[in-house]
Structure formats: C-alpha cells, structure tokens
C-alpha cells in the first residue's frame, strides 16, 4: 500500500485532470427536484382520496346493514313480529257542523248501549302496550226539548 500523497502533489493533479476530462464529455444531469415534488403531491392526493372513499364505503355499509338487518337483530325469539299497518279505510264524509246547536246531527251512527269488549293479552305476548283500547266516551245526548215527547201522568186526563 502506498501512503496518501500530500495535497497538491503531481499525482493528484493528474488524477483530477483525468476525472475532469471524463466528466466533460457527459451531458449535464437533469434537475430531479420538480419531478420528485410532483410525484409526492400525487401520492398525497391519492392517499387522501382513498381515505375519503374508504370512509364513505364504510359508513354506507354500516347504514345499509343496519337498515336491512336492523329488524332481524331487534326481534327476539319470545316476541311476535309486529302486525302490519292497517290499510286506508273508506269512510263516508261527515257533514259540516250545523249552525243551529239544537238541531240533531244526522248521518252519525248512534252508539249501542253495550259495554265495550275487553281484550285479554295472550300469555305468549310480551308487549308492554294493550292490544285494544276502548273508544272515548260519547258526549251526552243533546236532544232539543221540542223533540222530546211528553208522557202523560198516570192520573192526568186529557
């Protein structure tokens, strides 16, 4: 091994001159910084877009899963499925209010003087609400005094 030559020696000068002549024949190196910056920005945008898309897919999947599987998850083996909602009923239109409060209302059904049936829940039903509720009490009859018939007293003669 040869010891290092001191700085400024003729061997070092020859070596530097050879390196310089070799490098002069090569084209200049391109500037890679703008391309590297552009590629970094693309990667960041791509990763952010994938994160947003993944979040959207996850939220949509959870929402649809709950919407589709929610009724199945909420049912327990002891409970019965809820009854379907009643369809639209066809009823007669009710007449408008009468201007004379003493005039009897026509076209209205007269309630029968019977007690309403009571529903007894089955033992298998575990719902916390009654299956049937009685209708609200009807107001007392407001028959005008002129429409009432007078009953004669047993001792009165006419």
């Amino acid at each position: 091994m040869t010891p290092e030559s001191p700085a400024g020696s003729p061997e070092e000068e020859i070596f530097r001159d050879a390196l310089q002549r070799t490098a002069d024949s090569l084209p200049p190196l391109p500037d890679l910084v703008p391309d590297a910056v552009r590629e970094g920005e693309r990667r960041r945008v791509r990763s952010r877009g994938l994160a947003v898309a993944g979040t959207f897919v996850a939220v949509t999947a959870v929402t649809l899963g709950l919407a589709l599987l929610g009724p199945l998850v909420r049912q327990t083996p002891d409970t019965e499925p809820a009854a379907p909602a009643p369809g639209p009923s066809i009823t007669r239109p009710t007449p408008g209010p009468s201007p004379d409060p003493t005039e009897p209302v026509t076209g209205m059904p007269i309630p029968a003087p019977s007690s309403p049936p009571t529903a007894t829940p089955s033992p298998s039903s575990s719902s916390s609400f009654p299956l049937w509720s009685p209708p609200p009490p009807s107001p007392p009859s407001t028959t005008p005094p002129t429409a009432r018939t007078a009953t004669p007293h047993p001792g009165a003669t006419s």
Side-chain angles (χ1 to χ4, degrees), residues 51-138:
V52 169
T55 303
F56 176 76
V57 167
V59 169
T60 303
V62 168
T63 304
L64 288 177
L66 287 177
L68 296 175
L69 299 176
L72 297 175
V73 172
R74 277 188 244 130
Q75 279 185 355
T76 58
D78 332 347
T79 61
E80 299 173 5
S89 63
I90 302 173
T91 59
R92 293 184 354 196
T94 58
S98 173
D100 184 15
T102 59
E103 181 181 319
V105 178
T106 58
M108 299 290 285
I110 299 173
S114 65
S115 64
T118 58
T120 57
S122 64
S124 65
S125 173
S126 64
S127 61
S128 63
F129 58 88
L131 297 175
W132 182 85
S133 62
S138 60

Side-chain angles (χ1 to χ4, degrees), residues 13-102:
E13 294 285 329
I14 296 171
F15 183 70
R16 282 182 190 238
D17 187 42
L19 287 178
Q20 189 68 29
R21 278 183 284 144
T22 307
D24 284 344
S25 63
L26 296 174
L29 293 175
D31 189 9
L32 300 177
V33 173
D35 291 336
V37 169
R38 193 176 312 117
E39 184 63 28
E41 288 173 355
R42 286 180 184 163
R43 286 181 182 174
R44 277 192 299 275
V45 168
R46 196 177 312 128
S47 66
R48 287 177 185 158
L50 288 175
V52 169
T55 303
F56 176 76
V57 167
V59 169
T60 303
V62 168
T63 304
L64 288 177
L66 287 177
L68 296 175
L69 299 176
L72 297 175
V73 172
R74 277 188 244 130
Q75 279 185 355
T76 58
D78 332 347
T79 61
E80 299 173 5
S89 63
I90 302 173
T91 59
R92 293 184 354 196
T94 58
S98 173
D100 184 15
T102 59

Side-chain angles (χ1 to χ4, degrees), residues 1-16:
M1 294 187 91
T2 61
E4 290 186 22
S5 57
S9 70
E11 294 171 354
E12 187 177 335
E13 294 285 329
I14 296 171
F15 183 70
R16 282 182 190 238

